């Protein structure tokens, strides 16, 4: 196979039936609703034992791991492969939380490598929709320390120290490794994160399972992973603008733009040494690349544009709202 075989790729969603999940993911993706409580849909994944499988074109049935082995730099980008090896660096998810999720923190690359031989986890949330009273937790609202944190866990007062945000559709939160956070009940979000499954659970509301047991907490592991710095506002502010890319997040692990389109938009990737992912929040659009490949992206679906692609044109059918994300070129 050669680079001519590469084209915009779609993948079968990995739907996760979870006790705290809701009923929004299947209809959002245009799938027949059922009684399953789907908490997450992993859209593009290279997490071990959770490899995404292509569901369009001549590569249908191949998984992401096979594609990286076959296409390497042409798929992910030369500089991306130099940084991350044969690990696809991003995990794309939809999350539908019917209940409050546990308070968590993720280690940075250095700590995750040392403890788990893994990458750390920096991530972002884009709120697709939210119940009227839905909220998210991000960062500390009061100055804390490792000792204060441990004391609050012991005294069951950790929630009093966290910054709490009522949310609505379109809200964005950037969550660098080390920032405590949690998704509240009634939140339906898109999540872009580093490929890592390392999570430290800090607090779980003292909930008990059917056997009367509380979930394991990682109090000591989390103590060294937490960033105790306090910021005034943890919400990511941006000004929506139609028909131009609006930057939401720029960090060394990913850049993400919001495209709110009613007219066609051309995107030039000739100088970008990375794949590009589009995640459709609303509507639908036709994406056409410089090789003449054309694909339709609809609400709830994600498309991987290979790094070899030089440019695409995006034509909304009526209107479309997309997240665009890629790996920035590393700078010294």
């Amino acid at each position: 196979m050669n680079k001519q075989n590469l084209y915009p790729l779609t993948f079968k969603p990995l739907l996760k039936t979870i006790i705290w999940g809701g009923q929004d993911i299947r209809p959002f993706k245009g799938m027949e609703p059922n009684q399953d409580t789907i908490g997450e849909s992993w859209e593009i994944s290279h997490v071990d034992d959770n490899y995404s499988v292509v569901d369009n074109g001549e590569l249908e049935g191949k998984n992401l791991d096979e594609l990286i082995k076959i296409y390497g730099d042409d798929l992910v980008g030369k500089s991306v492969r130099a940084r991350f090896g044969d690990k696809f660096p991003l995990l794309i998810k939809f999350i539908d939380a019917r209940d409050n999720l546990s308070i968590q923190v993720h280690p940075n690359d250095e700590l995750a490598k040392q403890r788990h031989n893994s990458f750390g986890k920096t991530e972002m949330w884009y709120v697709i929709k939210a119940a009227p009273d839905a909220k998210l937790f991000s960062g500390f609202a009061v100055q804390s320390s490792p000792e204060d944190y441990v004391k609050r866990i012991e005294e069951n007062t950790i929630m009093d120290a966290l910054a709490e945000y009522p949310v609505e559709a379109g809200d964005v939160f950037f969550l660098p490794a080390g920032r405590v956070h949690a998704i509240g009940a009634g939140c339906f979000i898109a999540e872009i994160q580093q490929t890592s499954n390392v999570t430290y659970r800090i607090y779980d509301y003292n909930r008990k399972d059917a056997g009367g047991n509380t979930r394991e907490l990682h109090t000591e592991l989390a103590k060294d992973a937490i960033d105790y710095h306090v910021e005034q506002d943890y919400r990511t502010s941006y000004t929506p603008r139609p028909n131009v890319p609006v930057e939401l997040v720029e960090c060394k692990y990913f850049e993400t733009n919001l495209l709110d389109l009613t007219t066609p938009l051309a995107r030039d990737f000739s100088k970008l040494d990375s794949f590009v992912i589009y995640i459709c929040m609303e509507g639908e659009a036709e994406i056409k690349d410089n090789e003449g490949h054309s694909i339709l992206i609809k609400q709830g679906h994600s498309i991987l544009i290979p790094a070899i692609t030089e440019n695409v044109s995006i034509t909304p059918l009526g209107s479309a709202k997309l997240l665009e994300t890629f790996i920035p070129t590393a700078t010294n």
Side-chain angles (χ1 to χ4, degrees):
M1 295 189 182
N2 56 43
K3 66 185 181 183
Q4 273 70 38
N5 293 104
L6 273 177
Y7 52 89
L9 299 163
T10 61
F11 298 88
K12 296 175 183 175
L14 296 163
L15 301 179
K16 307 290 184 179
T17 302
I18 306 173
I19 192 168
W20 49 257
Q23 302 288 334
D24 282 345
I25 285 178
R26 292 182 68 93
F28 179 71
K29 293 180 63 61
M31 303 169 73
E32 198 68 32
N34 61 22
Q35 297 307 304
D36 294 345
T37 54
I38 305 297
E40 299 184 354
S41 175
W42 292 19
E43 295 290 292
I44 301 178
S45 167
H46 197 212
V47 174
D48 291 346
D49 301 321
N50 285 272
Y51 292 159
S52 291
V53 175
V54 177
D55 72 352
N56 71 317
E58 65 182 77
L59 296 174
E60 183 175 359
K62 291 197 176 295
N63 67 42
L64 190 52
D65 193 64
E66 293 174 295
L67 295 183
I68 292 170
K69 287 182 169 66
I70 294 167
Y71 293 105
D73 297 352
D74 286 348
L75 179 70
V76 301
K78 187 175 182 180
S79 64
V80 171
R81 201 144 169 247
R83 281 179 70 190
F84 300 101
D86 285 338
K87 178 61 72 175
F88 192 80
L90 295 183
L91 171 59
I92 308 298
K93 293 181 182 178
F94 295 123
I95 301 175
D96 178 18
R98 185 186 58 191
D99 296 324
N100 290 323
L101 306 195
S102 59
I103 308 297
Q104 304 177 346
V105 72
H106 307 295
N108 61 22
D109 283 350
E110 185 180 21
L111 203 55
K113 179 71 174 173
Q114 176 187 322
R115 291 178 175 174
H116 312 283
N117 195 30
S118 168
F119 289 109
K121 192 193 289 189
T122 286
E123 57 192 358
M124 68 166 283
W125 294 330
Y126 178 92
V127 179
I128 299 168
K129 73 174 188 176
D133 57 349
K135 56 193 177 186
L136 295 170
F137 299 91
S138 178
F140 284 106
V142 297
Q143 189 59 54
S144 188
S145 66
E147 295 73 29
D148 181 58
Y149 148 74
V150 171
K151 185 180 178 187
R152 284 184 178 277
I153 295 297
E154 291 170 349
E155 296 178 350
N156 203 32
T157 60
I158 188 66
M159 299 304 296
D160 299 338
L162 301 182
E164 178 182 315
Y165 293 89
V167 291
E168 58 186 30
D171 284 349
V172 173
F173 288 81
F174 175 56
L175 304 161
R179 182 168 294 171
V180 293
H181 61 274
I183 299 170
C187 290
F188 183 67
I189 68 171
E191 180 176 271
I192 298 169
Q193 60 161 88
Q194 284 181 268
T195 296
S196 169
N197 232 4
V198 181
T199 295
Y200 298 153
R201 190 181 303 115
I202 291 174
Y203 182 71
D204 194 42
Y205 305 95
N206 295 317
R207 291 181 286 211
K208 296 181 179 178
D209 63 18
N213 304 304
T214 56
R215 296 172 82 192
E216 179 189 5
L217 300 181
H218 308 108
T219 306
E220 282 301 312
L221 284 171
K223 184 169 72 171
D224 297 334
I226 292 172
D227 177 2
Y228 295 95
H229 171 75
V230 175
E231 292 188 15
Q232 267 195 317
D233 188 2
Y234 293 95
R235 195 191 306 261
T236 298
S237 62
Y238 67 97
T239 303
R241 292 178 62 203
N243 302 312
V244 293
V246 175
E247 183 181 287
L248 301 181
V249 170
E250 180 182 8
C251 69
K252 65 180 181 178
Y253 300 110
F254 54 84
E255 290 186 23
T256 301
N257 298 313
L258 176 64
L259 311 181
D260 191 354
L261 304 179
T262 56
T263 61
L265 180 70
R267 299 294 282 144
D268 182 359
F269 301 130
S270 58
K271 293 182 172 61
L272 178 68
D273 188 18
S274 168
F275 60 87
V276 179
I277 293 171
Y278 288 105
I279 314 159
C280 189
M281 303 292 103
E282 296 176 17
E284 55 186 322
E286 181 187 33
I287 299 178
K288 186 177 286 188
D289 70 12
N290 53 285
E291 295 288 338
H293 302 114
S294 180
I295 191 167
L296 194 65
I297 185 169
K298 298 182 178 182
Q299 174 185 289
H301 292 251
S302 304
I303 289 177
L304 173 61
I305 306 293
I308 198 71
T309 304
E310 293 186 2
N311 59 72
V312 299
S313 63
I314 307 169
T315 303
L317 305 185
S319 63
K321 187 176 288 187
L322 310 172
L323 295 183
E324 172 190 81
T325 193
F326 51 85
I327 308 297
T329 302
T331 54
N332 295 326

